[in-house]
């Protein structure tokens, strides 16, 4: 089972309801290191990582998270050895061939973001079929980033808008944040609330640059195949304890300002 049939609301140690992120994104780092540390081929680590993603998708649904996005293969990953790339593409095909029907039965909607011109025609057809098959589902929105790069996505969106201006479809003055987002491959995805990276690295690696503008970041040492439900809950608890300001004041700041205002003696001009 990919997800349970009903959503459970997550409660922390205090028993009180915590703030749940609407959209969680994960940089799944450490598959290769995990495999090599155990004397296995790197593809064995990728297979184990696929199992971890299934487990976390279940848990995300149970915690009431509506959107989950996973970084599976980056624009830069094409520089890896060809046998590893071929094996990864095979794993992706197997996932689409074997798991999509189960995703569909569990009301999961699947999207694949990233460019597709370097993928095989067979894989592209499977992606299109999977997206169409699950398009009407209203449960967890699961997005997989394949051949994805944040800079490349923004560049492509800018190129599309430039072409539309050149053809007279829009004016340059029409371009705003919403219009730029609408031309991005991830246009259907909302802003990311929580970005998790495994594997001990503390960088974002060209992932979802637009949508993580105000995301909370959570880094952990665990390699992706060993990422557990307990660590995921720790990330959610960390998120729940943070106060998101979006460039403004927190609720505490507003309360303190109000108290200060009450204690200030009004200034009265003295007659000359």
């Amino acid at each position: 089972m990919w997800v349970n049939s009903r959503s459970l609301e997550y409660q922390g140690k205090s028993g009180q309801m915590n703030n749940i992120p609407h959209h969680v994104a994960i940089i799944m780092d450490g598959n290769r290191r995990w495999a090599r540390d155990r004397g296995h081929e790197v593809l064995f680590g990728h297979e184990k990582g696929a199992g971890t993603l299934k487990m976390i998708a279940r848990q995300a649904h149970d915690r009431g998270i509506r959107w989950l996005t996973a970084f599976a293969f980056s624009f830069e990953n094409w520089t890896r050895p060809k046998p590893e790339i071929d094996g990864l593409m095979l794993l992706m095909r197997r996932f689409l061939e074997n798991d999509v029907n189960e995703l569909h039965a569990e009301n999961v909607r699947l999207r694949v973001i990233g460019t597709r011109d370097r993928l095989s025609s067979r894989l592209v057809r499977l992606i299109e079929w999977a997206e169409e098959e699950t398009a009407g589902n209203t449960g967890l929105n699961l997005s997989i980033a394949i051949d994805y790069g944040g800079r490349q996505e923004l560049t492509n969106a800018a190129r599309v808008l430039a072409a539309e201006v050149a053809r007279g479809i829009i004016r340059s003055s029409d371009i705003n944040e919403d219009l730029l987002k609408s031309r991005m491959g991830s246009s259907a995805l909302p802003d990311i609330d929580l970005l998790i990276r495994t594997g001990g690295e503390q960088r974002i690696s060209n992932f979802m640059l637009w949508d993580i503008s105000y995301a909370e970041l959570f880094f952990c040492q665990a390699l992706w195949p060993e990422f557990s439900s307990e660590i995921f809950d720790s990330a959610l608890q960390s998120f729940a304890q943070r106060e998101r300001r979006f460039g403004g004041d927190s609720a505490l700041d507003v309360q303190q300002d109000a108290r200060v205002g009450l204690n200030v003696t009004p200034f009265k001009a003295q007659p000359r």
Side-chain angles (χ1 to χ4, degrees):
M1 298 280 290
W2 261 88
V3 294
N4 295 329
S5 58
R6 66 186 182 92
S7 174
L8 303 176
E9 293 179 315
Y10 176 56
Q11 293 180 324
K13 295 179 181 179
S14 66
Q16 299 298 317
M17 186 59 59
N18 285 321
N19 181 30
I20 296 296
H22 184 64
H23 186 183
V24 175
I26 305 177
I27 300 176
M28 306 180 294
D29 192 17
N31 289 340
R32 299 197 300 173
R33 281 177 284 160
W34 183 89
R36 287 167 176 162
D37 288 347
R38 289 156 180 78
H40 297 296
E41 296 292 331
V42 295
L43 284 176
F44 183 70
H46 292 307
E47 288 186 35
K48 289 289 291 184
T52 302
L53 178 57
K54 293 180 183 181
M55 179 266 292
I56 293 302
R58 296 186 192 104
Q59 188 172 357
H61 181 270
D62 288 346
R63 298 296 184 251
I65 294 166
R66 297 287 297 139
W67 295 79
L68 178 67
T69 301
F71 202 4
F73 189 84
S74 76
F75 181 86
E76 295 81 9
N77 284 158
W78 291 103
T79 61
R80 290 185 176 182
K82 189 176 185 303
E84 181 182 355
I85 294 173
D86 291 343
L88 277 167
M89 296 302 161
L90 177 60
L91 285 176
M92 292 174 191
R93 290 201 306 270
R94 287 178 179 171
F95 161 72
L96 293 169
E97 291 169 345
N98 300 330
D99 291 341
V100 168
N101 287 331
E102 190 172 358
L103 289 174
H104 186 43
E106 295 293 343
N107 201 28
V108 174
R109 178 167 186 174
L110 179 68
R111 292 178 175 88
V112 176
I113 61 173
T115 57
R116 300 181 185 181
D117 51 348
R118 291 192 284 187
L119 304 179
S120 70
S121 58
R122 179 181 177 186
L123 181 55
V124 171
R125 288 195 300 271
L126 282 169
I127 290 171
E128 292 172 347
W129 166 78
E131 290 181 326
E132 183 178 351
E133 187 74 6
T134 63
N137 293 342
T138 58
L140 177 69
N141 290 275
L142 177 63
S143 302
I144 309 295
I146 301 175
D147 196 8
Y148 176 86
R151 288 181 175 179
Q152 290 73 26
E153 181 179 39
L154 288 168
T155 300
N156 290 338
R159 187 179 294 115
V160 170
L161 289 176
E164 292 178 0
V165 170
R167 294 198 300 270
I169 298 173
I170 61 172
R171 297 169 298 179
S172 60
S173 58
D174 294 331
I175 298 174
N176 56 27
E177 292 183 8
D178 291 338
L179 194 61
L180 179 60
K181 171 67 174 177
S182 72
R183 302 306 191 266
M184 293 169 62
S186 59
S187 59
L189 278 60
D191 287 348
I192 292 168
D193 300 300
L194 173 63
L195 174 66
I196 298 171
R197 179 169 187 147
T198 63
E201 305 292 351
Q202 297 188 18
R203 54 178 178 266
I204 57 178
S205 296
N206 198 24
F207 183 51
M208 306 293 286
L209 299 180
W210 182 273
D211 296 299
I212 64 168
S213 296
Y214 289 99
E216 300 295 324
L217 308 180
F218 182 89
F219 302 104
C220 68
Q221 293 295 321
L223 303 177
W224 177 245
E226 60 193 15
F227 188 78
S228 65
S229 59
E230 291 77 15
I231 301 174
F232 189 59
D233 274 346
S234 295
L236 298 182
Q237 189 63 35
S238 175
F239 176 87
Q241 293 170 351
R242 303 181 193 185
E243 181 134 22
R244 308 181 74 197
R245 303 186 183 188
F246 301 99
D249 290 332
S250 68
L252 180 60
D253 291 334
V254 173
Q255 292 172 5
Q256 289 176 339
D257 289 345
R259 288 197 294 270
V260 169
L262 291 174
N263 295 326
V264 172
T265 302
F267 174 75
K268 294 183 179 179
Q270 299 296 321
R272 294 182 179 179

